[in-house]
Amino acid sequence: AQSVTQLGSHVSVSEGALVLLRCNYSSSVPPYLFWYVQYPNQGLQLLLKYTSAATLVKGINGFEAEFKKSETSFHLTKPSAHMSDAAEYFCAVSDTGNQFYFGTGTSLTVIP
Amino acid sequence: NAGVTQTPKFQVLKTGQSMTLQCAQDMNHNSMYWYRQDPGMGLRLIYYSASEGTTDKGEVPNGYNVSRLNKREFSLRLESAAPSQTSVYFCASTAEWAWDTEAFFGQGTRLTVV
């Protein structure tokens, strides 16, 4: 089975600072990788996905992620944090069975 | 578009009671899923339905049953609730059974078993 590891269950950044949320995956085959965001009291929504096309993937709200096969990583970044980015972020990988394996999540706090 | 709708949003049960969580999607999606979300554990798959008429166990199916009533609706039943089933439950759907499919989620049902 696939798995993902998100380093850091809580990340705090100042408004305007760089956001970096880490995700590493284990996979014996090329994976499909996703980042989802969950705002308080809401369901998850897709930020971006990697499906073996370009290794740098751009998503909504200024987020992007880079697939690095040599490091088995898919870290999420945003150059300048906004207060509205405060949320929980989940990295996920899908396998041949079309099941999504989610990481444990990273809660992002943006400090004014 | 309503997307994925879950009912109820909140529920408190006593140990041993039963209940059914309802989920409906209006996107004509083929595949539907039930997840539970617990602090520090992310989302774990309970059951899924790859297409109308089929259901399969996920990672944590014990204590649950599901019914794919039709293409739109996928319900989750707790026959005898236990405190360990206190969690937030999410229903999700995907257009098709494929590796790169985006999942659409409902807003969740917060269940407390006392």
Side-chain angles (χ1 to χ4, degrees), chain A residues 29-30 32 34 36 38 41-44 46 49 51 88 90 94-100 102-104, chain B residues 31 33 35 37 40-43 45 48 57 90 94 96-103 105-107 110:
Chain A
V29 297
Y32 290 91
F34 305 77
Y36 281 84
Q38 183 182 29
N41 299 315
Q42 295 188 26
L44 283 71
L46 183 68
K49 64 179 181 181
T51 58
E88 186 138 20
F90 292 92
S94 69
D95 69 359
T96 55
N98 197 38
Q99 293 187 26
F100 296 97
F102 286 88
T104 53
Chain B
S31 302
Y33 311 80
Y35 288 90
Q37 182 182 29
M41 302 192 74
L43 276 77
L45 183 64
Y48 64 96
K57 296 178 180 180
F90 287 100
T94 55
E96 55 192 48
W97 189 252
W99 287 39
D100 62 347
T101 308
E102 175 184 356
F105 286 81
Q107 291 196 315
R110 189 172 297 272

mmCIF file of all heavy atoms in Angstrom, chain A residues 29-30 32 34 36 38 41-44 46 49 51 88 90 94-100 102-104, chain B residues 31 33 35 37 40-43 45 48 57 90 94 96-103 105-107 110:
data_model
loop_
_atom_site.group_PDB
_atom_site.id
_atom_site.type_symbol
_atom_site.label_atom_id
_atom_site.label_comp_id
_atom_site.label_asym_id
_atom_site.label_seq_id
_atom_site.Cartn_x
_atom_site.Cartn_y
_atom_site.Cartn_z
ATOM 1 N N VAL A 29 5.680 2.412 -7.581
ATOM 2 C CA VAL A 29 5.333 2.773 -8.955
ATOM 3 C C VAL A 29 5.114 4.281 -8.999
ATOM 4 O O VAL A 29 4.907 4.905 -7.966
ATOM 5 C CB VAL A 29 4.061 2.047 -9.426
ATOM 6 C CG1 VAL A 29 4.274 0.546 -9.451
ATOM 7 C CG2 VAL A 29 2.873 2.421 -8.560
ATOM 8 N N PRO A 30 5.181 4.876 -10.183
ATOM 9 C CA PRO A 30 4.916 6.328 -10.250
ATOM 10 C C PRO A 30 3.549 6.642 -9.672
ATOM 11 O O PRO A 30 2.552 6.099 -10.108
ATOM 12 C CB PRO A 30 4.971 6.605 -11.756
ATOM 13 C CG PRO A 30 5.862 5.546 -12.294
ATOM 14 C CD PRO A 30 5.590 4.320 -11.467
ATOM 15 N N TYR A 32 0.248 9.119 -8.287
ATOM 16 C CA TYR A 32 -0.471 10.360 -8.500
ATOM 17 C C TYR A 32 -0.573 11.037 -7.139
ATOM 18 O O TYR A 32 -0.967 10.404 -6.156
ATOM 19 C CB TYR A 32 -1.852 10.095 -9.097
ATOM 20 C CG TYR A 32 -1.763 9.620 -10.515
ATOM 21 C CD1 TYR A 32 -1.680 8.273 -10.824
ATOM 22 C CD2 TYR A 32 -1.733 10.530 -11.580
ATOM 23 C CE1 TYR A 32 -1.571 7.841 -12.135
ATOM 24 C CE2 TYR A 32 -1.629 10.107 -12.888
ATOM 25 C CZ TYR A 32 -1.554 8.758 -13.163
ATOM 26 O OH TYR A 32 -1.439 8.328 -14.462
ATOM 27 N N PHE A 34 -1.563 14.480 -4.635
ATOM 28 C CA PHE A 34 -2.553 15.542 -4.480
ATOM 29 C C PHE A 34 -2.265 16.340 -3.207
ATOM 30 O O PHE A 34 -1.722 15.815 -2.235
ATOM 31 C CB PHE A 34 -3.969 14.960 -4.333
ATOM 32 C CG PHE A 34 -4.392 14.033 -5.429
ATOM 33 C CD1 PHE A 34 -3.918 12.728 -5.486
ATOM 34 C CD2 PHE A 34 -5.276 14.455 -6.407
ATOM 35 C CE1 PHE A 34 -4.314 11.861 -6.495
ATOM 36 C CE2 PHE A 34 -5.680 13.607 -7.417
ATOM 37 C CZ PHE A 34 -5.200 12.312 -7.458
ATOM 38 N N TYR A 36 -4.810 18.630 -0.739
ATOM 39 C CA TYR A 36 -6.155 19.094 -0.449
ATOM 40 C C TYR A 36 -6.091 20.082 0.710
ATOM 41 O O TYR A 36 -5.242 19.980 1.590
ATOM 42 C CB TYR A 36 -7.061 17.924 -0.044
ATOM 43 C CG TYR A 36 -7.570 17.092 -1.199
ATOM 44 C CD1 TYR A 36 -6.792 16.073 -1.727
ATOM 45 C CD2 TYR A 36 -8.827 17.331 -1.753
ATOM 46 C CE1 TYR A 36 -7.259 15.306 -2.784
ATOM 47 C CE2 TYR A 36 -9.298 16.581 -2.814
ATOM 48 C CZ TYR A 36 -8.506 15.569 -3.325
ATOM 49 O OH TYR A 36 -8.970 14.818 -4.380
ATOM 50 N N GLN A 38 -8.499 21.967 3.811
ATOM 51 C CA GLN A 38 -9.740 21.893 4.575
ATOM 52 C C GLN A 38 -9.862 23.127 5.441
ATOM 53 O O GLN A 38 -9.083 23.315 6.383
ATOM 54 C CB GLN A 38 -9.771 20.634 5.450
ATOM 55 C CG GLN A 38 -11.065 20.457 6.217
ATOM 56 C CD GLN A 38 -11.047 19.226 7.115
ATOM 57 O OE1 GLN A 38 -10.002 18.797 7.589
ATOM 58 N NE2 GLN A 38 -12.216 18.644 7.341
ATOM 59 N N ASN A 41 -14.603 23.543 9.609
ATOM 60 C CA ASN A 41 -15.981 23.056 9.493
ATOM 61 C C ASN A 41 -16.423 22.839 8.046
ATOM 62 O O ASN A 41 -17.619 22.941 7.731
ATOM 63 C CB ASN A 41 -16.951 24.020 10.187
ATOM 64 C CG ASN A 41 -16.645 24.159 11.661
ATOM 65 O OD1 ASN A 41 -16.415 23.175 12.350
ATOM 66 N ND2 ASN A 41 -16.585 25.386 12.139
ATOM 67 N N GLN A 42 -15.474 22.552 7.182
ATOM 68 C CA GLN A 42 -15.804 22.264 5.792
ATOM 69 C C GLN A 42 -15.159 20.957 5.362
ATOM 70 O O GLN A 42 -14.307 20.394 6.054
ATOM 71 C CB GLN A 42 -15.339 23.389 4.875
ATOM 72 C CG GLN A 42 -16.053 24.707 5.107
ATOM 73 C CD GLN A 42 -15.693 25.728 4.051
ATOM 74 O OE1 GLN A 42 -15.324 25.379 2.929
ATOM 75 N NE2 GLN A 42 -15.803 26.993 4.405
ATOM 76 N N GLY A 43 -15.584 20.466 4.209
ATOM 77 C CA GLY A 43 -14.951 19.296 3.626
ATOM 78 C C GLY A 43 -13.655 19.678 2.933
ATOM 79 O O GLY A 43 -13.274 20.837 2.893
ATOM 80 N N LEU A 44 -12.980 18.678 2.399
ATOM 81 C CA LEU A 44 -11.720 18.928 1.713
ATOM 82 C C LEU A 44 -11.976 19.385 0.282
ATOM 83 O O LEU A 44 -12.950 18.969 -0.348
ATOM 84 C CB LEU A 44 -10.874 17.642 1.670
ATOM 85 C CG LEU A 44 -10.148 17.245 2.937
ATOM 86 C CD1 LEU A 44 -11.104 16.755 4.005
ATOM 87 C CD2 LEU A 44 -9.114 16.164 2.632
ATOM 88 N N LEU A 46 -9.742 20.246 -3.511
ATOM 89 C CA LEU A 46 -8.473 20.039 -4.190
ATOM 90 C C LEU A 46 -7.732 21.354 -4.402
ATOM 91 O O LEU A 46 -8.288 22.325 -4.899
ATOM 92 C CB LEU A 46 -8.714 19.371 -5.539
ATOM 93 C CG LEU A 46 -7.457 19.020 -6.340
ATOM 94 C CD1 LEU A 46 -6.683 17.907 -5.642
ATOM 95 C CD2 LEU A 46 -7.824 18.607 -7.764
ATOM 96 N N LYS A 49 -2.818 18.821 -8.205
ATOM 97 C CA LYS A 49 -2.505 17.402 -8.345
ATOM 98 C C LYS A 49 -1.368 17.199 -9.349
ATOM 99 O O LYS A 49 -1.210 17.980 -10.287
ATOM 100 C CB LYS A 49 -3.725 16.603 -8.784
ATOM 101 C CG LYS A 49 -4.262 16.948 -10.170
ATOM 102 C CD LYS A 49 -5.469 16.067 -10.514
ATOM 103 C CE LYS A 49 -6.005 16.384 -11.906
ATOM 104 N NZ LYS A 49 -7.186 15.548 -12.241
ATOM 105 N N THR A 51 0.126 14.428 -11.994
ATOM 106 C CA THR A 51 -0.267 13.207 -12.706
ATOM 107 C C THR A 51 0.738 12.859 -13.784
ATOM 108 O O THR A 51 0.377 12.437 -14.875
ATOM 109 C CB THR A 51 -1.663 13.366 -13.323
ATOM 110 O OG1 THR A 51 -1.644 14.496 -14.204
ATOM 111 C CG2 THR A 51 -2.717 13.562 -12.264
ATOM 112 N N GLU A 88 -6.238 23.501 7.299
ATOM 113 C CA GLU A 88 -5.497 22.243 7.404
ATOM 114 C C GLU A 88 -5.245 21.721 5.998
ATOM 115 O O GLU A 88 -6.128 21.762 5.140
ATOM 116 C CB GLU A 88 -6.258 21.204 8.220
ATOM 117 C CG GLU A 88 -5.474 19.933 8.471
ATOM 118 C CD GLU A 88 -5.641 19.417 9.894
ATOM 119 O OE1 GLU A 88 -6.619 19.809 10.546
ATOM 120 O OE2 GLU A 88 -4.805 18.603 10.332
ATOM 121 N N PHE A 90 -3.769 18.600 3.522
ATOM 122 C CA PHE A 90 -3.530 17.163 3.453
ATOM 123 C C PHE A 90 -2.855 16.812 2.134
ATOM 124 O O PHE A 90 -3.314 17.216 1.064
ATOM 125 C CB PHE A 90 -4.846 16.385 3.543
ATOM 126 C CG PHE A 90 -5.513 16.463 4.875
ATOM 127 C CD1 PHE A 90 -6.458 17.434 5.138
ATOM 128 C CD2 PHE A 90 -5.194 15.552 5.871
ATOM 129 C CE1 PHE A 90 -7.081 17.508 6.377
ATOM 130 C CE2 PHE A 90 -5.817 15.617 7.109
ATOM 131 C CZ PHE A 90 -6.758 16.600 7.361
ATOM 132 N N SER A 94 -2.623 8.376 -4.717
ATOM 133 C CA SER A 94 -3.576 7.363 -5.166
ATOM 134 C C SER A 94 -2.824 6.221 -5.814
ATOM 135 O O SER A 94 -1.758 6.409 -6.393
ATOM 136 C CB SER A 94 -4.600 7.943 -6.126
ATOM 137 O OG SER A 94 -4.008 8.286 -7.354
ATOM 138 N N ASP A 95 -3.410 5.053 -5.680
ATOM 139 C CA ASP A 95 -2.740 3.856 -6.187
ATOM 140 C C ASP A 95 -3.600 3.185 -7.261
ATOM 141 O O ASP A 95 -4.579 3.726 -7.721
ATOM 142 C CB ASP A 95 -2.450 2.902 -5.032
ATOM 143 C CG ASP A 95 -3.720 2.293 -4.451
ATOM 144 O OD1 ASP A 95 -4.828 2.615 -4.915
ATOM 145 O OD2 ASP A 95 -3.587 1.484 -3.519
ATOM 146 N N THR A 96 -3.227 2.027 -7.627
ATOM 147 C CA THR A 96 -3.915 1.337 -8.715
ATOM 148 C C THR A 96 -5.373 1.048 -8.396
ATOM 149 O O THR A 96 -6.166 0.842 -9.301
ATOM 150 C CB THR A 96 -3.213 0.021 -9.043
ATOM 151 O OG1 THR A 96 -3.125 -0.749 -7.826
ATOM 152 C CG2 THR A 96 -1.811 0.269 -9.557
ATOM 153 N N GLY A 97 -5.714 0.995 -7.115
ATOM 154 C CA GLY A 97 -7.089 0.709 -6.744
ATOM 155 C C GLY A 97 -7.952 1.935 -6.635
ATOM 156 O O GLY A 97 -9.082 1.868 -6.179
ATOM 157 N N ASN A 98 -7.429 3.055 -7.070
ATOM 158 C CA ASN A 98 -8.148 4.321 -6.975
ATOM 159 C C ASN A 98 -8.529 4.658 -5.549
ATOM 160 O O ASN A 98 -9.528 5.302 -5.307
ATOM 161 C CB ASN A 98 -9.391 4.337 -7.855
ATOM 162 C CG ASN A 98 -9.887 5.758 -8.089
ATOM 163 O OD1 ASN A 98 -9.092 6.676 -8.250
ATOM 164 N ND2 ASN A 98 -11.172 5.946 -8.084
ATOM 165 N N GLN A 99 -7.754 4.199 -4.601
ATOM 166 C CA GLN A 99 -7.964 4.634 -3.236
ATOM 167 C C GLN A 99 -6.963 5.728 -2.933
ATOM 168 O O GLN A 99 -5.817 5.673 -3.353
ATOM 169 C CB GLN A 99 -7.749 3.466 -2.281
ATOM 170 C CG GLN A 99 -8.799 2.378 -2.417
ATOM 171 C CD GLN A 99 -8.654 1.322 -1.350
ATOM 172 O OE1 GLN A 99 -8.133 1.572 -0.275
ATOM 173 N NE2 GLN A 99 -9.113 0.113 -1.635
ATOM 174 N N PHE A 100 -7.423 6.696 -2.195
ATOM 175 C CA PHE A 100 -6.555 7.777 -1.782
ATOM 176 C C PHE A 100 -6.010 7.475 -0.398
ATOM 177 O O PHE A 100 -6.753 7.118 0.496
ATOM 178 C CB PHE A 100 -7.330 9.094 -1.735
ATOM 179 C CG PHE A 100 -7.835 9.546 -3.061
ATOM 180 C CD1 PHE A 100 -9.131 9.282 -3.452
ATOM 181 C CD2 PHE A 100 -7.009 10.245 -3.929
ATOM 182 C CE1 PHE A 100 -9.610 9.697 -4.679
ATOM 183 C CE2 PHE A 100 -7.478 10.665 -5.159
ATOM 184 C CZ PHE A 100 -8.776 10.389 -5.534
ATOM 185 N N PHE A 102 -4.279 9.315 2.583
ATOM 186 C CA PHE A 102 -4.047 10.666 3.063
ATOM 187 C C PHE A 102 -2.969 10.702 4.123
ATOM 188 O O PHE A 102 -2.839 9.784 4.932
ATOM 189 C CB PHE A 102 -5.338 11.245 3.657
ATOM 190 C CG PHE A 102 -6.357 11.633 2.630
ATOM 191 C CD1 PHE A 102 -7.276 10.719 2.165
ATOM 192 C CD2 PHE A 102 -6.389 12.931 2.120
ATOM 193 C CE1 PHE A 102 -8.220 11.075 1.212
ATOM 194 C CE2 PHE A 102 -7.328 13.288 1.171
ATOM 195 C CZ PHE A 102 -8.239 12.363 0.715
ATOM 196 N N GLY A 103 -2.231 11.788 4.149
ATOM 197 C CA GLY A 103 -1.335 12.049 5.257
ATOM 198 C C GLY A 103 -2.129 12.502 6.470
ATOM 199 O O GLY A 103 -3.352 12.648 6.419
ATOM 200 N N THR A 104 -1.422 12.729 7.560
ATOM 201 C CA THR A 104 -2.096 13.075 8.814
ATOM 202 C C THR A 104 -2.445 14.550 8.904
ATOM 203 O O THR A 104 -3.094 14.959 9.861
ATOM 204 C CB THR A 104 -1.227 12.684 10.007
ATOM 205 O OG1 THR A 104 0.068 13.265 9.851
ATOM 206 C CG2 THR A 104 -1.099 11.170 10.111
ATOM 207 N N SER B 31 -18.153 6.754 -8.627
ATOM 208 C CA SER B 31 -17.541 6.176 -7.426
ATOM 209 C C SER B 31 -17.805 7.047 -6.202
ATOM 210 O O SER B 31 -17.759 8.280 -6.294
ATOM 211 C CB SER B 31 -16.028 6.034 -7.636
ATOM 212 O OG SER B 31 -15.751 5.233 -8.764
ATOM 213 N N TYR B 33 -17.313 7.233 -1.643
ATOM 214 C CA TYR B 33 -16.442 6.788 -0.557
ATOM 215 C C TYR B 33 -16.951 7.314 0.787
ATOM 216 O O TYR B 33 -17.555 8.380 0.857
ATOM 217 C CB TYR B 33 -15.018 7.336 -0.761
ATOM 218 C CG TYR B 33 -14.460 7.135 -2.147
ATOM 219 C CD1 TYR B 33 -14.822 7.978 -3.194
ATOM 220 C CD2 TYR B 33 -13.555 6.117 -2.425
ATOM 221 C CE1 TYR B 33 -14.323 7.811 -4.470
ATOM 222 C CE2 TYR B 33 -13.044 5.936 -3.698
ATOM 223 C CZ TYR B 33 -13.432 6.782 -4.713
ATOM 224 O OH TYR B 33 -12.926 6.603 -5.975
ATOM 225 N N TYR B 35 -15.130 8.174 4.510
ATOM 226 C CA TYR B 35 -13.913 8.307 5.302
ATOM 227 C C TYR B 35 -14.274 8.727 6.718
ATOM 228 O O TYR B 35 -15.298 9.361 6.958
ATOM 229 C CB TYR B 35 -13.000 9.395 4.731
ATOM 230 C CG TYR B 35 -12.318 9.060 3.433
ATOM 231 C CD1 TYR B 35 -12.910 9.353 2.208
ATOM 232 C CD2 TYR B 35 -11.057 8.479 3.428
ATOM 233 C CE1 TYR B 35 -12.266 9.066 1.013
ATOM 234 C CE2 TYR B 35 -10.404 8.188 2.236
ATOM 235 C CZ TYR B 35 -11.024 8.480 1.040
ATOM 236 O OH TYR B 35 -10.383 8.204 -0.145
ATOM 237 N N GLN B 37 -12.332 10.907 9.944
ATOM 238 C CA GLN B 37 -11.197 11.787 10.223
ATOM 239 C C GLN B 37 -11.026 11.890 11.721
ATOM 240 O O GLN B 37 -11.940 12.329 12.429
ATOM 241 C CB GLN B 37 -11.418 13.173 9.622
ATOM 242 C CG GLN B 37 -10.240 14.115 9.843
ATOM 243 C CD GLN B 37 -10.480 15.504 9.279
ATOM 244 O OE1 GLN B 37 -11.612 15.969 9.190
ATOM 245 N NE2 GLN B 37 -9.404 16.165 8.876
ATOM 246 N N GLY B 40 -4.776 13.682 14.326
ATOM 247 C CA GLY B 40 -3.468 13.055 14.210
ATOM 248 C C GLY B 40 -3.416 11.840 13.332
ATOM 249 O O GLY B 40 -2.359 11.215 13.181
ATOM 250 N N MET B 41 -4.565 11.478 12.720
ATOM 251 C CA MET B 41 -4.585 10.261 11.899
ATOM 252 C C MET B 41 -5.025 10.538 10.469
ATOM 253 O O MET B 41 -5.102 9.621 9.652
ATOM 254 C CB MET B 41 -5.494 9.208 12.533
ATOM 255 C CG MET B 41 -5.074 8.848 13.948
ATOM 256 S SD MET B 41 -5.898 7.395 14.574
ATOM 257 C CE MET B 41 -5.045 6.120 13.673
ATOM 258 N N GLY B 42 -5.335 11.755 10.147
ATOM 259 C CA GLY B 42 -5.763 12.048 8.793
ATOM 260 C C GLY B 42 -7.095 11.406 8.473
ATOM 261 O O GLY B 42 -7.914 11.157 9.350
ATOM 262 N N LEU B 43 -7.306 11.123 7.204
ATOM 263 C CA LEU B 43 -8.547 10.481 6.763
ATOM 264 C C LEU B 43 -8.273 9.006 6.474
ATOM 265 O O LEU B 43 -7.297 8.675 5.808
ATOM 266 C CB LEU B 43 -9.071 11.150 5.487
ATOM 267 C CG LEU B 43 -9.901 12.404 5.678
ATOM 268 C CD1 LEU B 43 -9.005 13.589 5.988
ATOM 269 C CD2 LEU B 43 -10.735 12.682 4.441
ATOM 270 N N LEU B 45 -10.092 5.412 5.015
ATOM 271 C CA LEU B 45 -11.194 4.926 4.205
ATOM 272 C C LEU B 45 -11.938 3.815 4.925
ATOM 273 O O LEU B 45 -11.343 2.830 5.359
ATOM 274 C CB LEU B 45 -10.654 4.423 2.866
ATOM 275 C CG LEU B 45 -11.682 3.945 1.848
ATOM 276 C CD1 LEU B 45 -12.578 5.100 1.409
ATOM 277 C CD2 LEU B 45 -10.972 3.332 0.640
ATOM 278 N N TYR B 48 -15.968 1.858 0.191
ATOM 279 C CA TYR B 48 -16.122 2.583 -1.048
ATOM 280 C C TYR B 48 -17.015 1.793 -2.011
ATOM 281 O O TYR B 48 -17.229 0.586 -1.832
ATOM 282 C CB TYR B 48 -14.774 2.893 -1.691
ATOM 283 C CG TYR B 48 -13.969 1.688 -2.133
ATOM 284 C CD1 TYR B 48 -14.004 1.242 -3.438
ATOM 285 C CD2 TYR B 48 -13.158 1.007 -1.225
ATOM 286 C CE1 TYR B 48 -13.255 0.143 -3.836
ATOM 287 C CE2 TYR B 48 -12.410 -0.088 -1.611
ATOM 288 C CZ TYR B 48 -12.459 -0.522 -2.918
ATOM 289 O OH TYR B 48 -11.725 -1.611 -3.305
ATOM 290 N N LYS B 57 -14.723 -3.062 1.153
ATOM 291 C CA LYS B 57 -14.138 -2.577 2.397
ATOM 292 C C LYS B 57 -12.893 -1.758 2.125
ATOM 293 O O LYS B 57 -12.130 -2.046 1.220
ATOM 294 C CB LYS B 57 -13.784 -3.763 3.303
ATOM 295 C CG LYS B 57 -14.981 -4.567 3.753
ATOM 296 C CD LYS B 57 -14.546 -5.755 4.611
ATOM 297 C CE LYS B 57 -15.760 -6.561 5.068
ATOM 298 N NZ LYS B 57 -15.360 -7.726 5.901
ATOM 299 N N PHE B 90 -16.700 11.798 6.517
ATOM 300 C CA PHE B 90 -16.800 12.481 5.236
ATOM 301 C C PHE B 90 -17.180 11.505 4.137
ATOM 302 O O PHE B 90 -16.624 10.403 4.037
ATOM 303 C CB PHE B 90 -15.465 13.133 4.865
ATOM 304 C CG PHE B 90 -15.149 14.353 5.663
ATOM 305 C CD1 PHE B 90 -14.280 14.287 6.742
ATOM 306 C CD2 PHE B 90 -15.722 15.577 5.339
ATOM 307 C CE1 PHE B 90 -13.984 15.414 7.487
ATOM 308 C CE2 PHE B 90 -15.440 16.707 6.077
ATOM 309 C CZ PHE B 90 -14.573 16.626 7.155
ATOM 310 N N THR B 94 -16.000 10.513 -6.833
ATOM 311 C CA THR B 94 -15.121 10.770 -7.972
ATOM 312 C C THR B 94 -15.856 10.388 -9.242
ATOM 313 O O THR B 94 -16.706 9.492 -9.246
ATOM 314 C CB THR B 94 -13.811 9.969 -7.890
ATOM 315 O OG1 THR B 94 -14.104 8.566 -7.753
ATOM 316 C CG2 THR B 94 -12.961 10.420 -6.716
ATOM 317 N N GLU B 96 -14.955 8.901 -11.927
ATOM 318 C CA GLU B 96 -14.743 7.562 -12.481
ATOM 319 C C GLU B 96 -13.695 6.844 -11.658
ATOM 320 O O GLU B 96 -13.059 7.416 -10.777
ATOM 321 C CB GLU B 96 -14.297 7.668 -13.941
ATOM 322 C CG GLU B 96 -13.065 8.539 -14.129
ATOM 323 C CD GLU B 96 -12.811 8.857 -15.584
ATOM 324 O OE1 GLU B 96 -13.762 9.256 -16.275
ATOM 325 O OE2 GLU B 96 -11.664 8.717 -16.015
ATOM 326 N N TRP B 97 -13.511 5.585 -11.969
ATOM 327 C CA TRP B 97 -12.544 4.740 -11.274
ATOM 328 C C TRP B 97 -11.219 4.891 -12.007
ATOM 329 O O TRP B 97 -10.915 4.157 -12.921
ATOM 330 C CB TRP B 97 -13.066 3.308 -11.324
ATOM 331 C CG TRP B 97 -12.309 2.339 -10.483
ATOM 332 C CD1 TRP B 97 -11.476 1.371 -10.922
ATOM 333 C CD2 TRP B 97 -12.332 2.254 -9.068
ATOM 334 N NE1 TRP B 97 -10.980 0.682 -9.845
ATOM 335 C CE2 TRP B 97 -11.471 1.196 -8.707
ATOM 336 C CE3 TRP B 97 -12.988 2.962 -8.069
ATOM 337 C CZ2 TRP B 97 -11.268 0.831 -7.385
ATOM 338 C CZ3 TRP B 97 -12.779 2.591 -6.756
ATOM 339 C CH2 TRP B 97 -11.926 1.539 -6.425
ATOM 340 N N ALA B 98 -10.442 5.890 -11.570
ATOM 341 C CA ALA B 98 -9.197 6.180 -12.279
ATOM 342 C C ALA B 98 -8.164 6.725 -11.314
ATOM 343 O O ALA B 98 -8.496 7.293 -10.286
ATOM 344 C CB ALA B 98 -9.450 7.193 -13.395
ATOM 345 N N TRP B 99 -6.888 6.585 -11.656
ATOM 346 C CA TRP B 99 -5.787 6.944 -10.767
ATOM 347 C C TRP B 99 -5.750 8.434 -10.464
ATOM 348 O O TRP B 99 -5.399 8.839 -9.366
ATOM 349 C CB TRP B 99 -4.463 6.587 -11.436
ATOM 350 C CG TRP B 99 -4.157 5.163 -11.507
ATOM 351 C CD1 TRP B 99 -5.025 4.139 -11.763
ATOM 352 C CD2 TRP B 99 -2.879 4.570 -11.347
ATOM 353 N NE1 TRP B 99 -4.351 2.953 -11.771
ATOM 354 C CE2 TRP B 99 -3.028 3.180 -11.521
ATOM 355 C CE3 TRP B 99 -1.606 5.082 -11.061
ATOM 356 C CZ2 TRP B 99 -1.969 2.309 -11.423
ATOM 357 C CZ3 TRP B 99 -0.553 4.202 -10.969
ATOM 358 C CH2 TRP B 99 -0.742 2.835 -11.143
ATOM 359 N N ASP B 100 -6.061 9.258 -11.456
ATOM 360 C CA ASP B 100 -5.793 10.682 -11.309
ATOM 361 C C ASP B 100 -7.061 11.482 -11.012
ATOM 362 O O ASP B 100 -7.121 12.665 -11.271
ATOM 363 C CB ASP B 100 -5.150 11.224 -12.586
ATOM 364 C CG ASP B 100 -6.071 11.093 -13.793
ATOM 365 O OD1 ASP B 100 -7.079 10.368 -13.689
ATOM 366 O OD2 ASP B 100 -5.778 11.707 -14.825
ATOM 367 N N THR B 101 -8.035 10.819 -10.448
ATOM 368 C CA THR B 101 -9.340 11.469 -10.290
ATOM 369 C C THR B 101 -9.399 12.351 -9.067
ATOM 370 O O THR B 101 -8.995 11.952 -7.975
ATOM 371 C CB THR B 101 -10.418 10.381 -10.178
ATOM 372 O OG1 THR B 101 -10.291 9.487 -11.263
ATOM 373 C CG2 THR B 101 -11.788 10.995 -10.190
ATOM 374 N N GLU B 102 -9.929 13.547 -9.239
ATOM 375 C CA GLU B 102 -10.156 14.448 -8.117
ATOM 376 C C GLU B 102 -11.360 13.974 -7.326
ATOM 377 O O GLU B 102 -12.378 13.582 -7.888
ATOM 378 C CB GLU B 102 -10.416 15.860 -8.629
ATOM 379 C CG GLU B 102 -10.792 16.845 -7.531
ATOM 380 C CD GLU B 102 -11.146 18.215 -8.080
ATOM 381 O OE1 GLU B 102 -11.022 18.416 -9.310
ATOM 382 O OE2 GLU B 102 -11.545 19.088 -7.286
ATOM 383 N N ALA B 103 -11.225 14.017 -6.008
ATOM 384 C CA ALA B 103 -12.329 13.658 -5.121
ATOM 385 C C ALA B 103 -13.051 14.916 -4.646
ATOM 386 O O ALA B 103 -12.417 15.916 -4.330
ATOM 387 C CB ALA B 103 -11.811 12.865 -3.923
ATOM 388 N N PHE B 105 -15.691 16.327 -1.774
ATOM 389 C CA PHE B 105 -16.076 15.954 -0.421
ATOM 390 C C PHE B 105 -17.313 16.706 0.040
ATOM 391 O O PHE B 105 -17.521 17.868 -0.311
ATOM 392 C CB PHE B 105 -14.945 16.257 0.558
ATOM 393 C CG PHE B 105 -13.796 15.295 0.463
ATOM 394 C CD1 PHE B 105 -12.834 15.455 -0.521
ATOM 395 C CD2 PHE B 105 -13.678 14.244 1.350
ATOM 396 C CE1 PHE B 105 -11.771 14.567 -0.620
ATOM 397 C CE2 PHE B 105 -12.612 13.358 1.260
ATOM 398 C CZ PHE B 105 -11.663 13.520 0.271
ATOM 399 N N GLY B 106 -18.099 16.036 0.887
ATOM 400 C CA GLY B 106 -19.154 16.706 1.606
ATOM 401 C C GLY B 106 -18.584 17.485 2.775
ATOM 402 O O GLY B 106 -17.373 17.467 3.024
ATOM 403 N N GLN B 107 -19.454 18.158 3.519
ATOM 404 C CA GLN B 107 -19.001 19.016 4.619
ATOM 405 C C GLN B 107 -18.785 18.248 5.916
ATOM 406 O O GLN B 107 -18.318 18.807 6.895
ATOM 407 C CB GLN B 107 -19.997 20.151 4.832
ATOM 408 C CG GLN B 107 -20.002 21.151 3.683
ATOM 409 C CD GLN B 107 -20.682 22.433 4.072
ATOM 410 O OE1 GLN B 107 -21.743 22.440 4.672
ATOM 411 N NE2 GLN B 107 -20.069 23.557 3.719
ATOM 412 N N ARG B 110 -20.316 15.303 12.129
ATOM 413 C CA ARG B 110 -19.575 15.180 13.398
ATOM 414 C C ARG B 110 -20.388 14.310 14.338
ATOM 415 O O ARG B 110 -21.463 14.700 14.775
ATOM 416 C CB ARG B 110 -19.332 16.560 13.998
ATOM 417 C CG ARG B 110 -18.385 16.550 15.193
ATOM 418 C CD ARG B 110 -18.047 17.981 15.618
ATOM 419 N NE ARG B 110 -17.344 18.716 14.575
ATOM 420 C CZ ARG B 110 -16.037 18.712 14.410
ATOM 421 N NH1 ARG B 110 -15.266 17.999 15.217
ATOM 422 N NH2 ARG B 110 -15.490 19.420 13.451
#
